[in-house]
Amino acid sequence: MRIIKIDLSQDFSEAINEAVKVLSYGGTIVYPTDTVYGFGANALEEISIRKIFNIKQRSFAKPLPMMVRNIKWARELANINEKNDRILSKIWPGPITAVLPKKDLVPSVLTAGQDTVGMRVADSFFVDELLKNFGYPLVSTSANLSGHESTRYPEDIIDTFENTTLKPNLIIDAGVLPESEPSTVLDLTGPHPRILRVGPSRPEDLMKLLEI
């Protein structure tokens, strides 16, 4: 378990390069997002996805979301109608995960066999650079053991996984992240948007935003 410390206000290209190397050989990383620290792996590679489930000690019956770079990427991975395309343009980038009908390109292990997939675009220059350089979407789930709290503190993650058999290959330590909550989850698979989990966005404000 290698640890690289970075300053998000400085040049972090070396950390990006190392992360891409790890991801490219099917490895797993912990990386800073615009909410909390997340696990990352190639979201289109079944072996890599299974590694995240195992490291996190998460049931394979529970789907994992993915991080995409932009709406263009999302269109390649999910069936997005014109209405949902307009909604996504309003809520992304930001802390809102959209649940959409998946395309066959998305492995069923990621979605626990369901025909939908959760995805979001982070409001983070670091994440954008990571995705741009890697070229594939990432599994995106909080970097913790299943059932435990997500965290903004890299020390919590390091302490946890120093004592487990399965560990991420690389941890990118950007210090304590700004206070935030897990992302809101918005179901766009039905005739009307439906909030499945409330995060930083107030439900009434979000639904007002979605009026089209």
Side-chain angles (χ1 to χ4, degrees), residues 189-207:
T189 61
H192 304 288
R194 187 163 61 99
I195 297 174
L196 302 182
R197 185 183 74 189
V198 178
S201 303
R202 294 175 59 193
E204 59 270 27
D205 292 341
L206 178 58
M207 297 311 292

Side-chain angles (χ1 to χ4, degrees), residues 43 46 49-50 53 60 63-64 102-116:
E46 183 171 340
I49 297 167
R50 288 184 179 276
F53 274 104
F60 283 90
L64 289 173
K102 82 175 187 73
K103 291 185 176 180
D104 291 341
L105 183 62
V106 178
S108 60
V109 65
L110 183 77
T111 65
Q114 299 178 26
D115 58 4
T116 60

Side-chain angles (χ1 to χ4, degrees), residues 13-35:
S13 57
E14 182 178 343
I16 293 287
N17 291 337
E18 288 301 311
V20 168
K21 287 180 185 177
V22 171
L23 294 167
S24 296
Y25 68 67
T28 59
I29 66 170
V30 171
Y31 67 107
T33 74
D34 53 344
T35 53

Side-chain angles (χ1 to χ4, degrees), residues 4-211:
I4 298 179
K5 292 191 175 185
I6 64 169
D7 183 336
L8 290 173
S9 66
Q10 304 294 325
D11 178 25
F12 47 70
S13 57
E14 182 178 343
I16 293 287
N17 291 337
E18 288 301 311
V20 168
K21 287 180 185 177
V22 171
L23 294 167
S24 296
Y25 68 67
T28 59
I29 66 170
V30 171
Y31 67 107
T33 74
D34 53 344
T35 53
V36 295
Y37 277 92
F39 279 127
N42 189 334
L44 301 183
E45 186 176 81
E46 183 171 340
I47 293 175
S48 299
I49 297 167
R50 288 184 179 276
K51 287 179 182 178
I52 296 294
F53 274 104
N54 290 330
I55 293 170
K56 194 176 172 73
Q57 299 176 21
R58 182 181 178 92
S59 167
F60 283 90
K62 296 180 179 180
L64 289 173
M66 65 165 62
M67 191 79 77
V68 295
R69 192 179 178 208
N70 48 42
I71 295 178
K72 181 180 178 181
W73 281 32
R75 293 190 194 109
E76 295 175 356
L77 300 162
N79 294 302
I80 301 174
N81 59 33
E82 186 176 333
K83 177 183 177 182
N84 285 343
D85 201 280
R86 292 197 300 270
I87 289 174
L88 295 175
S89 69
K90 290 183 177 185
I91 65 174
W92 286 348
I96 300 177
T97 297
V99 179
L100 297 156
K102 82 175 187 73
K103 291 185 176 180
D104 291 341
L105 183 62
V106 178
S108 60
V109 65
L110 183 77
T111 65
Q114 299 178 26
D115 58 4
T116 60
V117 61
M119 56 178 64
R120 80 178 185 97
V121 177
D123 187 11
S124 162
F125 180 64
F126 178 87
V127 175
D128 183 69
E129 285 294 298
L130 177 58
L131 289 169
K132 181 178 73 173
N133 282 270
F134 182 48
Y136 295 92
L138 295 177
V139 176
S140 184
T141 180
S142 54
N144 57 338
L145 294 175
S146 184
H148 292 222
E149 292 292 324
S150 57
T151 184
R152 303 179 292 118
Y153 296 86
E155 295 82 4
D156 293 346
I157 300 166
I158 294 167
D159 289 346
T160 295
F161 291 100
E162 278 182 341
N163 299 311
T164 59
T165 302
L166 300 177
K167 313 174 190 295
N169 299 109
L170 174 67
I171 294 178
I172 299 174
D173 178 355
V176 180
L177 301 180
E179 189 169 356
S180 181
E181 298 178 40
S183 64
T184 296
V185 179
L186 183 68
D187 185 353
L188 297 178
T189 61
H192 304 288
R194 187 163 61 99
I195 297 174
L196 302 182
R197 185 183 74 189
V198 178
S201 303
R202 294 175 59 193
E204 59 270 27
D205 292 341
L206 178 58
M207 297 311 292
K208 185 175 180 180
L209 175 66
L210 297 180
E211 291 177 0

